[in-house]
Amino acid sequence: MSFESMWADLQPVGRSAHSGGYRRFAWTRTDHDLREWFAGECTARGLDVTDDRMGNQWAWWGEPDDAARRGDKGVVTGSHLDSVPDGGAFDGPLGVVSAFAALDVLRDNGFQPARPIGIVNFVDEEGARFGVACAGSRVITGAMTADRARGLTDADGVTMAEALEAAGRDARHLGRDDETLGRIGAFVELHVEQGRGLVDLENPVAVATDIWPHGRWRLDFPGEANHAGTTRLEDRQDAMLGYAGAVLAAREAAISHGCVATIGKVEVTPGGVNAIPSAVTGWLDARGASPRAVRRAVADVRSMVEQAGGHVTEESWTPSTPFDPALSDRVRDRLGGVPMLGTGAGHDAGILANAGIRTAMLFVRNPTGVSHSPLEFAELSDCLEGVAALGAVLEDLAGAPA
Ligand code: GLV
Ligand code: MN
Ligand code: MN
C-alpha cells in the first residue's frame, strides 16, 4: 500500500460533488467509512485496533503494555480524518496516511523498534458538528469533561451522546483515559502547513515551535419575528442588526489588538427572507500570538454584543502551547536542521502537549498556503519528503534510548 494508493482510497470519501471539498463530520456514516478504512489499513499490516474511551482509534506495532511494565513507553504518530465543512483533502488525512507510509518504510528497511510505535486516528478534531475542536483528545486528557461532551449538540439538536449511541457506541464510556495516555512516551503529528511559511523558506518540511492561544465564543442576539413588509422600521426588534455590529466589531478589535478574529458560522431564526429575525447566533473564533491581545479583543466584542442586548458564551479556550523544546530540537537535528515554524491552527498535538505529553509536530509545505478550503494542497513529492522525515524521526525515537 503505497502513499498514493492510500490517498486514492480516501479521495472519494465524504467529498461534495458541488464544492469539491470534504464534509467529514464526527459520528456520521462518512466518519464510519473513514474509521473502517483506518481499521482496514491496520489489519492489512497485522496491527490490532483498539478504541479508547472517546473512540479515538489506536494501533500498535509492538506491545505498549509490555513496554510500560519495563518502565518504557511508546512513540505515537497520526492525526485525524474528519474535516471542516467543505474542507481540503490534506488537513488531518495527510498525517494519518503518512503515519502508515512511514511505518511501511521502517518495516521495509528491516527496522526493529526498541519500543512500540503507535498510530492514532483522533475523532472530531475540527469540531465541525458539535462545536468544540479536538473533542477526541480533550476528553481523553480531561480537558473537556465527559458530561460536557455528551451534552454538546449539533445543528439539528442531536446531542453527542445520541450521535454516539446511533453509531453503536456506549456514551457512558466517555472519559479521561489514563491507560491510553500512559502508553505514550512521545507524540509526533505530521500536518499540512496551513500558511505559506515553507513556501517562503523554500523547504518541504518544518518542525513546529508552538500553537497560538485560541478560542471559540457563541454570540446570541434576541429579536422579535415579524413581517418584513408591514412592520415599521421603528417598531422592529431585528436580531440581525446586533449580529452585523458584532461582525464589524470583531474585525475592529482584531486590528486594534493585533490578533485575528473570524465569524464563520451563523444561524438565523426563523430564517425566512420575508421575516424579521427573532434570533441570530454567530460563532467567533479569535487567536493571536499574545493571549492578552486575544482576551482584550474578545472583551471588546463582548461589550458591543451586550450593548446590543446580546449574550456571549465561551465554548472553548486553548492557551499558548509550546511544543517540547528538547524533543523538537532532537527532531530538527535528525532532519538536518529544517526550519522551525509557529502556527495559528489548533491540533490534537496541542491538547496532548498541554496534558504534559512530550509532543512535536512536522509541517509539510502547502504551495497555496490555503487551508480549510478545497484549495488546500501539497505536492506529492513534498508529501513523500514528509513521509521520509516522519520515518527518520520514528526510527530515532523508537530505536534509541528514551
Ligand atoms: C483546526 O484546524 C483549527 O485550527 O481550528
Ligand atoms: Mn483543521
Ligand atoms: Mn488538522
Side-chain angles (χ1 to χ4, degrees):
M1 284 137 302
S2 63
F3 178 95
E4 292 95 316
S5 68
M6 288 187 275
W7 200 254
D9 285 348
L10 284 177
Q11 197 158 17
V13 186
R15 189 171 202 179
S16 149
H18 174 65
S19 68
Y22 289 91
R23 304 183 75 85
R24 295 168 166 168
F25 306 145
W27 308 119
T28 58
R29 176 75 216 182
T30 298
D31 193 36
H32 170 83
D33 293 347
L34 293 163
R35 294 172 67 81
E36 289 286 296
W37 173 85
F38 183 88
E41 291 301 315
C42 295
T43 306
R45 291 169 176 80
L47 309 175
D48 292 336
V49 187
T50 54
D51 289 2
D52 64 24
R53 294 187 61 190
M54 181 61 196
N56 304 302
Q57 295 176 293
W58 301 80
W60 286 96
W61 178 18
E63 297 295 335
D65 296 331
D66 291 352
R69 277 190 280 279
R70 297 194 307 269
D72 204 356
K73 291 185 178 188
V75 179
V76 180
T77 187
S79 190
H80 62 97
L81 294 173
D82 67 315
S83 78
V84 296
D86 288 328
F90 294 81
D91 178 354
L94 183 63
V96 179
V97 170
S98 299
F100 286 119
L103 183 133
D104 293 344
V105 169
L106 295 184
R107 284 181 162 182
D108 290 349
N109 292 345
F111 176 65
Q112 297 289 335
R115 63 187 54 82
I117 295 179
I119 298 183
V120 62
N121 169 30
F122 280 111
V123 295
D124 202 6
E125 193 272 351
E126 300 288 6
R129 181 168 177 194
F130 295 104
V132 177
C134 299
S137 53
R138 280 187 208 271
V139 168
I140 61 161
T141 56
M144 175 160 62
T145 64
D147 278 344
R148 172 143 193 254
R150 280 188 283 259
L152 293 171
T153 51
D154 70 8
D156 297 323
V158 177
T159 64
M160 187 185 282
E162 289 163 348
L164 285 161
E165 301 284 346
R169 312 188 69 84
D170 185 351
R172 290 171 306 182
H173 195 56
L174 261 54
R176 190 185 158 95
D177 193 334
D178 288 316
E179 194 180 344
T180 295
L181 299 177
R183 298 180 179 132
I184 313 170
F187 177 57
V188 181
E189 179 172 359
L190 179 146
H191 204 279
V192 68
E193 199 204 338
Q194 297 170 288
R196 291 178 47 85
L198 280 168
V199 175
D200 296 341
L201 292 163
E202 297 182 11
N203 227 74
V205 174
V207 175
T209 51
D210 63 314
I211 297 178
W212 280 0
H214 56 281
R216 294 182 184 188
W217 291 264
R218 177 185 162 119
L219 318 178
D220 286 300
F221 298 90
E224 195 175 273
N226 210 331
H227 195 287
T230 59
T231 316
R232 292 182 305 185
L233 290 178
E234 57 270 34
D235 291 342
R236 296 178 181 215
Q237 289 174 44
D238 185 343
M240 187 61 82
L241 296 181
Y243 167 75
V247 174
L248 299 175
R251 175 76 179 198
E252 282 302 312
I255 292 168
S256 63
H257 296 290
C259 55
V260 291
T262 308
I263 299 182
K265 180 176 167 183
V266 59
E267 277 174 15
V268 182
T269 308
V273 178
N274 52 358
I276 296 163
S278 59
V280 174
T281 299
W283 280 266
L284 169 70
D285 177 308
R287 315 181 188 211
S290 150
R292 273 166 64 103
V294 177
R295 290 292 190 188
R296 284 184 177 154
V298 173
D300 284 5
V301 177
R302 183 186 292 274
S303 78
M304 181 270 137
V305 171
E306 287 171 355
Q307 269 168 32
H311 182 71
V312 178
T313 311
E314 182 172 298
E315 293 201 329
S316 64
W317 171 251
T318 306
S320 310
T321 307
F323 289 110
D324 187 287
L327 178 64
S328 301
D329 283 352
R330 178 169 167 173
V331 168
R332 182 174 192 241
D333 289 349
R334 183 68 188 78
L335 301 180
V338 297
M340 308 280 293
L341 287 177
T343 181
H347 299 285
D348 294 303
I351 304 297
L352 295 194
N354 285 328
I357 292 172
R358 285 169 72 222
T359 302
M361 285 192 79
L362 297 178
F363 293 137
V364 171
R365 177 164 52 193
N366 172 346
T368 64
V370 174
S371 188
H372 287 184
S373 147
L375 296 179
E376 184 180 87
F377 187 61
E379 297 286 356
L380 176 61
S381 54
D382 284 355
C383 294
L384 297 179
E385 292 269 5
V387 170
L390 183 61
V393 168
L394 295 177
E395 185 174 354
D396 178 34
L397 298 176

